[in-house]
Amino acid sequence: MTDTTGLRPIAPPDPTRPDAGLVLASLWHTEGPEQQRKVMSGVMDAWEEARLPAAYLARHCLAGSDGRTVLNFAQWTTPEAHRAFAADPRNQQTLGSAVQALHSAGPPGRYAPHRLTGRHGGTARCFTATWYDTEDAGAARSLADALAGREPADPAAVAECSFVAEDGRQLLVLTGFEDEPGGAGPWFRPFRGLVRPAHRET
């Protein structure tokens, strides 16, 4: 079932949304700011033109502060729904070909949400992303719990979300900030997104 109603072309990512049972994430490396922008624009143009199912929730390209990296972040209701979409030859020919023409990349990592924590009621406008290699899903969840319980937690963070890879061999921690975070590594600012608003219980 295709459902394009309610999709919003401009919205920041919400990694804490409760209806996302699958997260797809990958980090791309480009040659510099011009190619970084070209790749992000082209990818989002292709997704905005695609026929997307109701199970599609959001996709974002986030620009790295180093002017080279691109963080891809997508959310779907279930892994099964995304697999059905990705297996459709029509989507492989259109979306797959469009993306590969812009940037040669393997498939994104597939993750299940584990801990989704929002703090202070703020809106995350910048993000850091950290990947950890783990032995299995149990080790990944234990590491996520340990990181979430560490002291002191970053007082500037308004969200911290951990995602466990489907094969259990990796943990992704996405931390959101209202302002530009400090630190030596690159951080990411939303460039473009296509979002189906979440229906949250009140």
Side-chain angles (χ1 to χ4, degrees), residues 3-174:
D3 181 7
T4 59
T5 59
L7 291 178
R8 297 178 180 173
I10 301 175
D14 179 9
T16 69
R17 63 184 298 169
D19 52 348
L22 171 70
V23 161
L24 305 171
S26 59
L27 189 65
W28 292 351
H29 298 272
T30 67
E31 296 178 357
E34 183 176 350
Q35 188 190 24
Q36 181 194 50
R37 186 177 183 87
K38 179 181 179 180
V39 167
M40 293 188 296
S41 293
V43 167
M44 292 312 305
D45 284 347
W47 278 88
E48 289 182 9
E49 294 171 2
R51 293 174 58 84
L52 299 170
Y56 167 92
L57 299 178
R59 194 205 194 287
H60 288 84
C61 281
L62 297 93
S65 58
D66 57 4
R68 298 187 303 275
T69 49
V70 176
L71 175 62
N72 295 278
F73 186 79
Q75 294 159 297
W76 288 71
T77 56
T78 66
E80 294 76 17
H82 176 261
R83 285 195 180 93
F85 176 81
D88 189 322
R90 294 170 297 180
N91 298 325
Q92 295 175 6
Q93 293 171 2
T94 54
L95 276 174
S97 297
V99 171
Q100 289 298 323
L102 291 161
H103 189 80
S104 180
R110 300 172 62 87
Y111 301 88
H114 175 59
R115 296 182 68 102
L116 308 177
T117 305
R119 303 173 181 154
H120 315 313
T123 299
R125 297 182 177 88
C126 302
F127 297 85
T128 60
T130 307
W131 282 265
Y132 301 89
D133 292 332
T134 54
E135 293 183 358
D136 53 36
R141 289 190 289 267
S142 295
L143 176 58
D145 295 342
L147 291 172
R150 68 193 182 280
E151 292 292 345
D154 192 326
V158 296
E160 186 170 77
C161 304
S162 58
F163 306 94
V164 176
E166 284 186 339
D167 64 3
R169 303 299 296 274
Q170 204 168 55
L171 173 71
L172 167 61
V173 177
L174 199 67

